[in-house]
Amino acid sequence: MTAIQQIFQRTGEQLQRFRGVAAGVAVSVALSGCGVVNHMVYKTTGDVMQGFAKSHTMPYLLESGDLAMGCAMSEATSPLLLSFGRVTADPDQLAVMLYLTAGGCAEEEAREHELQGLMALRSLESEMAQDAMIRQKRAHALAAQRYFQAWQHHNAFYGHPDESECPDFDADMDEFVYMAGLLTGLQALAAEIQSTSSIGVPKNIGSVVARATSCLNNEKWWGAPMALRATVWAMIPGALPEGEDAFQRLEMADRQGEEAGVRLSHVFHAMAAMNKGDSERLRGVIRNHADSLDATPSNQEWTMVDKIATQMIVSISDRMWMENTGHRTPFGRLGTFWDDQSDAEVMDLEGLL
């Protein structure tokens, strides 16, 4: 073999080795590139989904009056929407609303179990009543977990109310989500207590929430921040500031909510009345709510909030009716009670005989 042939042979061997290395590098780059591309696609999709949900899905649902559909949506889509936090920024604001709604689903289930238990007790079916109460506690435990998750997402986005100043709100929706997050804190504690379990909800959360409501515009939000604060004053011993009257504040908030068509304050007022054991005040709140529904339609922009308030007032009325009659509030008779005196004139039949 000549020297020139040997040179060509060595060159060919080197080219073959180079092609092998190049092919390996190309495959490696391609595979890693797939991961990078996928990550970029997922991140972009997550950002789009989060932005769309905040700008369109939430406002759309808040304008809807179909609570069952909103409940189903939050339970079904929460894992999908919140999982995008693995590839982009955590959707904390969205999580507040989703877990708030999903917690309400579990709480509504707990109320149904409670009514079944009360019915069974009236029928002297002790085993059925006990089973219903067990299911009620389980549902409350699930509600507490969901509400508490909403509270944690609230704090992750806005900062813990006890450790930060009032946030600067970029838009009305930001402020609304802040208020909704405060509400989840109270609901988490209440649901935990009713479940007779412990999931770690701070016991001072009521006073924390009460202070944080000062960050909200009371007039703008239908009197709800003041009602929330007054409810804490009425329910926690020693919380009432000197010179304040919690129930007077609640009555003022009620009027604001009635005029705005968002009657959330009625729920807080009813809770405070139940805590005090004031049945006459509680009946008055329910009557006022029913009368207000006839006088003022729901605020179109916040229809779902008003419908949720009505749902909770109906549930309180149902419990009262069930305890005293064995059935729920008769359809179309919210604001009336089983022992109301009839206003109809009684005809004297003796004079006709």
Side-chain angles (χ1 to χ4, degrees):
M1 180 180 297
T2 65
I4 293 177
Q5 288 176 324
Q6 291 177 349
I7 292 173
F8 275 112
Q9 183 178 4
R10 287 197 297 271
T11 302
E13 292 173 353
Q14 290 172 352
L15 286 172
Q16 287 179 349
R17 286 197 297 271
F18 175 78
R19 282 196 296 269
V21 172
V25 171
V27 170
S28 177
V29 169
L31 291 175
S32 64
C34 287
V36 171
V37 170
N38 284 342
H39 181 79
M40 291 176 62
V41 170
Y42 296 154
K43 182 181 186 305
T44 301
T45 304
D47 291 339
V48 170
M49 291 290 287
Q50 289 186 35
F52 183 83
K54 181 179 177 181
S55 300
H56 298 285
T57 305
M58 282 200 298
Y60 178 84
L61 280 175
L62 289 168
E63 293 176 7
S64 167
D66 194 330
L67 301 186
M69 188 175 292
C71 181
M73 191 283 294
S74 66
E75 289 189 316
T77 63
S78 290
L80 170 65
L81 294 174
L82 300 184
S83 67
F84 284 111
R86 295 166 61 96
V87 294
T88 186
D90 282 325
D92 291 311
Q93 282 186 303
L94 183 59
V96 170
M97 298 306 299
L98 288 172
Y99 279 124
L100 168 61
T101 308
C105 301
E107 194 169 15
E108 179 63 17
E109 184 180 344
R111 288 192 287 263
E112 285 298 313
H113 293 320
E114 180 184 24
L115 292 177
Q116 292 169 10
L118 291 172
M119 185 185 299
L121 284 175
R122 287 184 61 87
S123 302
L124 301 180
E125 298 178 3
S126 59
E127 291 179 349
M128 186 177 294
Q130 184 178 15
D131 183 68
M133 292 176 184
I134 291 171
R135 286 182 291 161
Q136 178 190 357
K137 290 182 179 181
R138 289 179 179 178
H140 275 306
L142 177 59
Q145 292 170 4
R146 290 176 174 178
Y147 286 142
F148 193 45
Q149 283 179 292
W151 171 253
Q152 291 171 318
H153 281 286
H154 171 274
N155 293 346
F157 188 84
Y158 295 101
H160 195 285
D162 256 7
E163 301 170 0
S164 58
E165 300 293 330
C166 291
D168 294 325
F169 301 113
D170 296 330
D172 287 352
M173 186 57 68
D174 291 333
E175 194 171 352
F176 173 74
V177 174
Y178 183 83
M179 180 173 67
L182 296 182
L183 182 58
T184 64
L186 282 183
Q187 289 176 302
L189 180 59
E192 183 188 59
I193 292 171
Q194 292 179 81
S195 72
T196 65
S197 64
S198 178
I199 62 170
V201 180
K203 298 303 180 282
N204 69 334
I205 205 167
S207 57
V208 171
V209 167
R211 288 193 296 271
T213 57
S214 62
C215 296
L216 298 164
N217 186 320
N218 191 60
E219 294 289 335
K220 180 178 181 179
W221 299 109
W222 338 293
M226 185 69 254
L228 184 56
R229 185 156 60 246
T231 301
V232 173
W233 292 347
M235 296 179 69
I236 299 180
L240 182 66
E242 186 176 354
E244 285 285 2
D245 185 323
F247 286 99
Q248 186 178 47
R249 290 286 190 176
L250 285 164
E251 290 169 3
M252 293 170 60
D254 285 351
R255 290 192 290 271
Q256 290 177 289
E258 291 163 8
E259 292 173 2
V262 187
R263 287 154 276 250
L264 191 59
S265 61
H266 285 160
V267 178
F268 300 136
H269 198 163
M271 291 170 57
M274 286 190 294
N275 184 71
K276 190 178 180 181
D278 190 339
S279 60
E280 285 305 311
R281 178 178 288 275
L282 179 58
R283 288 190 182 203
V285 172
I286 296 173
R287 286 194 180 99
N288 289 342
H289 187 86
D291 292 341
S292 177
L293 291 176
D294 292 334
T296 308
S298 297
N299 185 309
Q300 185 175 357
E301 187 178 359
W302 306 101
T303 298
M304 180 163 283
V305 180
D306 193 47
K307 295 296 184 183
I308 290 173
T310 297
Q311 181 186 56
M312 297 183 74
I313 290 294
V314 170
S315 71
I316 295 170
S317 177
D318 282 348
R319 186 189 305 118
M320 297 168 69
W321 274 89
M322 185 65 74
E323 288 175 341
N324 288 276
T325 68
H327 60 76
R328 305 163 194 251
T329 309
F331 188 71
R333 290 183 57 189
L334 179 65
T336 67
F337 299 94
W338 56 94
D339 56 355
D340 286 345
Q341 296 298 316
S342 175
D343 294 330
E345 183 179 351
V346 179
M347 183 178 293
D348 183 6
L349 297 179
E350 290 186 5
L352 299 179
L353 300 176

